[in-house]
Amino acid sequence: MFNQPSKSLVTVPNPHPDRRYTVEMETQEFTTLCPMTGQPDFATIYIQYEPDQKLVELKSLKLYLWSYRNETSYHEDCVNRILNDFVAAAEPHYAKVVGDFTIRGGIHTKVTVEYRK
């Protein structure tokens, strides 16, 4: 079955809401389009969070990140938007998103944003 990109992050109940623990996710397949040139920008996205009552379902996260492939976005903007959408959906105790972008024009960009409840 073919899947379509989606801006929806699906959550499921956390089976251990009484315990503080860390979930770490990484994908090396993130792409977005440069607003200046229209050329693709590639990044590894790292997401770390301490869930409260909800967990983010991984396939929905994959489809959500996939939705950036046809959008123009500056590195700083898309990493902040990922964190904002993640926090809005999961309502975690803590979340951190790192976008580690490949070198473009001789410059390596790494954007880190955090949220604490």
Side-chain angles (χ1 to χ4, degrees):
M1 180 174 165
F2 186 76
N3 294 305
Q4 294 295 320
S6 172
K7 284 295 184 188
S8 296
L9 286 169
V10 175
T11 59
V12 297
N14 179 1
H16 302 284
D18 55 323
R19 180 175 296 135
R20 291 292 282 263
Y21 62 97
T22 302
V23 178
E24 297 180 15
M25 299 165 289
E26 171 185 339
T27 182
Q28 298 174 358
E29 299 177 353
F30 182 82
T31 59
T32 190
L33 299 174
C34 174
M36 298 296 286
T37 66
Q39 295 181 356
D41 285 326
F42 303 93
T44 299
I45 300 291
Y46 302 92
I47 299 173
Q48 179 183 60
Y49 76 111
E50 292 178 9
D52 190 357
Q53 299 298 313
K54 303 177 206 174
L55 302 173
V56 170
E57 193 275 325
L58 294 179
K59 185 165 187 177
S60 75
L61 178 61
K62 177 183 112 173
L63 296 174
Y64 169 81
L65 293 172
W66 188 15
S67 73
Y68 282 86
R69 286 187 177 177
N70 295 321
E71 292 184 7
T72 58
S73 183
Y74 290 104
H75 300 165
E76 299 83 356
D77 180 44
C78 63
V79 175
N80 274 280
R81 286 171 40 209
I82 291 167
L83 178 69
N84 292 345
D85 292 344
F86 193 93
V87 167
E91 301 174 344
H93 292 291
Y94 169 81
K96 177 179 175 179
V97 177
V98 177
D100 189 357
F101 290 83
T102 58
I103 294 174
R104 190 69 119 74
I107 298 174
H108 173 237
T109 305
K110 190 172 194 177
V111 180
T112 302
V113 292
E114 292 182 84
Y115 162 85
R116 290 187 193 283
K117 199 179 248 186

